[in-house]
Amino acid sequence: MIAGIPGTGIGGIYYILLALLMPVHEACLTATGYSKGRRWGLVGLQLVHALGILSSVYGMGWLLAKGINALRFTFLTTQSASCVQLTNVVAATSAYMAILTLGVVLLVVYTLRLFVRAPILLPGSSK
Amino acid sequence: MSEPLASSRLTVLIPAYNEGTTLADTLRSLQAQTLLPEEVLVIDDCSTDNTADIARGFGVTVLRPPQNSGSKAGAQNFAMNFVKTEFTMAIDADTTLAPDAIELLMKALDDPKIAAACGLVLPRFVNTVWERGRYIEYLFAFSFYKPIQDYYERPLISSGCFSVYRTDILRANGCWRTRTMAEDMDLTWSFYAAHQGVRFIPAAVCYPVEPNNYAFMSKQLRRWSHGFIQNVVVHWRQLLHIPFLRSAVIISLWDAIFASIAYLFLLPLFAIFVSPLFLLGYLIDAPAVAVPVLIKAAERGEVWKALASLPSFFVLRTVNSVFMLQAIWQEWVLRKRLTVYEKGH
């Protein structure tokens, strides 16, 4: 029932971005008179989810960096300063790489649709 | 307590092959609904147990095809010849419903643009590592991914274990196709291609019996992973022209391939040759998974159950990765399509 591997990869980032976009989207719908009040409840809940996920990921990264550096400091005292920078750089690079990958994948699919025609649907056929 | 309402517009289909142990609970939960269907059709797909006797004991109509139809889709299609109502609901024979599930789901079809609606799915039993893993997977997906998909009007799947459809649109789309192993995904994507809407109603809850051991789980995962790949092959041209769905599917496919490779190969290799710290990669997103899971669990008063089940999610995810890669390899590289429907749920 669940396509892909939930929680990992660019899928997680994609849904977080979509959740962060929901208030903007809903505000546009409200401004044009297309929004129903009860939708704001869902928007708020998904925003809480997304912000909670981002905070927890940041917290986990911070905790890991602290833990790793503490371990390294114990065993390799002379390199402790450079290790702090290293873990920060690795975490930031991973996040940027994931967002960049997501952007490239979306760009490819949006470009592809310009070159591939949709098949004509016949009654009782979906292909 | 108020008397249940009767809907003369709804027929419930329950495909059943050797479901003698679970069918009674399903029928009992149907009888306890706040909105009762006009008719319940149990399709006894040439069972060798007492499935038909149990169904008759509840006073529902039992249909029996001349021979085993070979899949859930086949059994449901057989029953469509007997459906006379405006709406058709499909429920698995091992799935029970919350008392207001049908009433809540039917409300979604008040909107004439909506062709189908599905509800929240949660495992009925949460004991083994497999059931616990699935419990977390569902809590996560149904509280974070699926409401977002619904907000953007494209739930990825109207789950086959509990969905309602407009009968005429269902028939116009060829009912449940047997060309893939995931007939519910096939049908949902066909609806979108025909410019029809699908809704996810989180308040309508159903409780299927999930696989409780590896043998059972592996059959289900094999079917689901092959089904996803087969649906991408069948629908990819149409998908490119369906807003939101194209992105959701390509990203699912990307993660199915690359997250699985990272999980099964890259992390262990980096852990061996670079640093054991790479093993943290298996758990690094644990807090991210935990946030939506615990919010939903708190709403249901199941926080301890969710916390105790969380580690099982990572076991199931690893196993899931193996089946995903295997499906991609077999379907795309070896061109060996999975065509035999093995019951696993």
Side-chain angles (χ1 to χ4, degrees), chain A residues 1-12 14-16 18-19 21-22 25-26 39 42-43 46 49 52-53 56-57 60 64 68 72 101-102 105-106 109-110 113 116-119 121 124-127, chain B residues 137-138 140-145 147-149 151-152 157 172 177 179 190 193-194 224 228 234 237-238 240-241 244 246-248 250-252 254-255 259-260 280 283-285 287-288 291-292 295 313 317 324:
Chain A
M1 98 126 266
I2 293 156
I5 313 296
T8 53
I10 59 173
Y14 174 67
Y15 281 98
I16 287 169
L18 286 176
L21 200 66
M22 279 166 76
H25 185 251
E26 197 56 29
R39 282 168 58 100
L42 172 68
V43 171
Q46 295 314 113
H49 279 142
I53 290 170
S56 68
V57 168
M60 181 77 162
L64 279 178
I68 291 166
R72 288 187 172 176
T101 309
L102 175 64
V105 170
L106 291 178
V109 83
Y110 276 77
R113 86 190 164 107
V116 178
R117 280 186 172 196
L121 285 173
S125 162
S126 61
K127 191 179 179 185
Chain B
E137 200 173 65
Y138 281 174
F140 180 76
F142 283 97
S143 63
F144 187 52
Y145 283 1
I148 294 175
Q149 293 168 0
Y151 176 82
Y152 290 101
I157 312 167
R177 306 293 189 84
R179 60 190 173 179
S190 299
W224 285 0
F228 174 55
V234 167
R237 282 176 180 274
Q238 285 165 348
L240 287 172
H241 299 274
F244 184 84
R246 59 179 165 234
S247 328
I250 190 73
I251 283 161
S252 292
W254 178 276
D255 278 354
S260 296
L280 289 169
L283 299 173
I284 202 150
D285 61 346
V291 168
I295 291 174
F313 169 77
R317 191 163 71 173
M324 263 298 179

Side-chain angles (χ1 to χ4, degrees), chain B residues 33-55:
Chain B
Q33 289 297 302
T34 53
L35 182 70
L36 294 170
E38 164 80 6
E39 189 164 31
V40 177
L41 302 178
V42 172
I43 309 103
D44 170 28
D45 208 359
C46 301
S47 302
T48 53
D49 69 354
N50 58 347
T51 295
D53 295 335
I54 288 170

Side-chain angles (χ1 to χ4, degrees), chain B residues 121-197:
Chain B
V121 185
L122 283 175
R124 196 181 329 164
F125 306 113
V126 183
N127 298 312
T128 68
V129 65
W130 307 108
E131 291 166 328
R132 286 181 181 279
R134 184 50 59 71
Y135 171 65
I136 298 296
E137 200 173 65
Y138 281 174
L139 278 182
F140 180 76
F142 283 97
S143 63
F144 187 52
Y145 283 1
K146 204 132 183 176
I148 294 175
Q149 293 168 0
D150 186 58
Y151 176 82
Y152 290 101
E153 301 178 353
R154 294 284 186 273
L156 205 57
I157 312 167
S158 191
S159 314
C161 67
F162 175 44
S163 281
V164 65
Y165 310 91
R166 281 184 198 282
T167 306
D168 56 342
I169 297 179
L170 180 62
R171 286 198 172 111
N173 279 280
C175 301
W176 292 273
R177 306 293 189 84
T178 52
R179 60 190 173 179
T180 75
M181 289 289 110
E183 75 291 333
D184 49 0
M185 185 180 277
D186 190 356
L187 185 59
T188 310
W189 294 3
S190 299
F191 283 145
Y192 292 139
H195 307 289
Q196 286 137 1

Side-chain angles (χ1 to χ4, degrees), chain B residues 265-279:
Chain B
F265 303 109
L266 297 183
L267 286 178
L269 285 174
F270 283 142
I272 292 167
F273 295 110
V274 183
S275 165
L277 288 173
F278 276 95
L279 290 174

